[in-house]
Amino acid sequence: MESTFNIKEFLQALRKRLPLIIIVTLLFVALSGIVSYTMMKPIYEASTQILVNQRVTNPLQASEQLNIDANLQLVETYNIIIKSPAILTEVIEELELKESVSDLNENISVSSAENSQILTVEVEDVSMERAVLIANTTASVFQAKIKSLMNVDNVNILAPAIVPVDPDPVKPDPMFNMAIGAIIGFMLGTGLAILLDQMNTTIRKEEDIEEIVGLQVLGIVSTVPEVKEFKRSANINDKKELIADVDTEKIKAVSNPKIGGSY
Amino acid sequence: MWTQKKSKRSATRKLVGRTKPQSLVTEQYRTIRTNINFSLPSDDTQTILFTSASKEEGKSTTSCNMAIVYAESGKRVLLVDADMRRPTLHHSFQLSNKIGLSNLLLKKGRLQDTVKRSGVVGLDLLLCGQIPSNPAELLSSPALDTLLEEMKARYDLIIIDSPPLLAVTDSKILANKCDGTVLVVNTGKTEKDSVKKARDALVTSKAFILGVVMNNYQLTKDNYYYHNYSN
């Protein structure tokens, strides 16, 4: 019905519903906090670093620089090889894991630092010990298998994964989840406030009367604070009519409609 | 239980005009009084009807306080409770509702014996009286016309409190017979559509609409010009 969007009115409506927005935001923060602390299983991460260096097979090959470029391309290949069933099935067999190859594949990520020949194998698991075991086994299986697969024997494990004294889970990150919860809660609360404001079809401003009903506003009466005690003023003339001692039940009986007395 | 709560609330109706003559709310009623005076076509004895679209929008509170501030301005005012379905005036002024308008319309008793003193100088009350079974028929009878004439002869201003417009037909009958009608709106509660319907109902009954009083208005910082000037 309202054709113009008034930013001031919009902000006023939000300010009026500020408690609602704050409550919804806090609710979502609390919810994501509770979920990340109690319901989500902590997940640990272990990583192994592997250095891969292709032996120069052809002495006539071009300069050292080109050689490194070729190695870098190979690093990409190793990335895929590590995550391939050829390696992972062996890891599963060796460690007698219950997971399938694709499950394990999801939990392993291989990355290489830019312009280096170092591969980092990161393994996520619900147990730190298992994560370390899988990371190290993957590295050693890769080291053993790569010889037959690609005729490379210059694979070194730089840093095997170790179990730290006090392992910190990488997932869930409660602070991150709560921040996300706060953002979602704030957006939902704001949306709810706008929705409630749009759905409110009551008269709220003097302009409503003048624009919609086309009548003039004679005046406003602000909300009267509740008067606890009714003080009778001193100059009551008609004292006979005062029914101070008649209890309210009797007044009700008198005023209660008997027939056709309701709307 | 709910009705008990309501009746208790209405028993301590807020007669701010009497209890707190210096308050901001009383000043707001005086502003309405001034605006009504400017809106009325002539200075003769006037009958003003206070009504609203639906129930509990503050008709009775507004009419009581308006009657008080009018009496304060030196006029001889009669406040009539024409809401013969749910009368509240006797609660507000803590009087018994044995005789009143319904008795007069049934031609029982005289006006001067039936009116009550309100305790406010210049303000007399005509309560509802025994609740009749046929309020609409009573109000549309010629007895009301003669009664209104008699009231006009005795008082400078007659303020009439009435039932809600959209619920029953009583207010339309009364609005037709009064010089001016004021529509009370409960700010933040009354639907825009019901105010439109109420206006249409008044237009069809050929009432002279003086304007709208916005009740329960939440003052914000932006409404600085309404705040108490003397403070």
Side-chain angles (χ1 to χ4, degrees), chain A residues 98-123:
Chain A
K98 282 173 193 149
E99 284 106 324
S100 66
V101 171
S102 59
D103 284 346
L104 202 58
N105 194 333
E106 274 173 31
N107 293 336
I108 294 179
S109 64
V110 180
S111 60
S112 54
E114 218 176 310
N115 288 335
S116 81
Q117 295 174 47
I118 296 164
L119 297 174
T120 307
V121 180
E122 286 173 333
V123 179

Side-chain angles (χ1 to χ4, degrees), chain B residues 59-105:
Chain B
K59 294 176 292 293
S60 304
T61 313
T62 310
S63 47
C64 286
N65 284 302
M66 285 310 296
I68 290 167
V69 295
Y70 261 112
E72 183 192 76
S73 77
K75 284 194 173 175
R76 290 165 64 243
V77 184
L78 179 67
L79 177 58
V80 183
D81 193 353
D83 187 346
M84 293 202 269
R85 295 165 198 265
R86 199 183 279 181
T88 50
L89 193 58
H90 56 286
H91 283 311
S92 308
F93 287 88
Q94 303 196 325
L95 299 166
S96 93
N97 193 24
K98 283 210 178 74
I99 51 166
L101 179 65
S102 59
N103 307 66
L104 292 178
L105 289 176

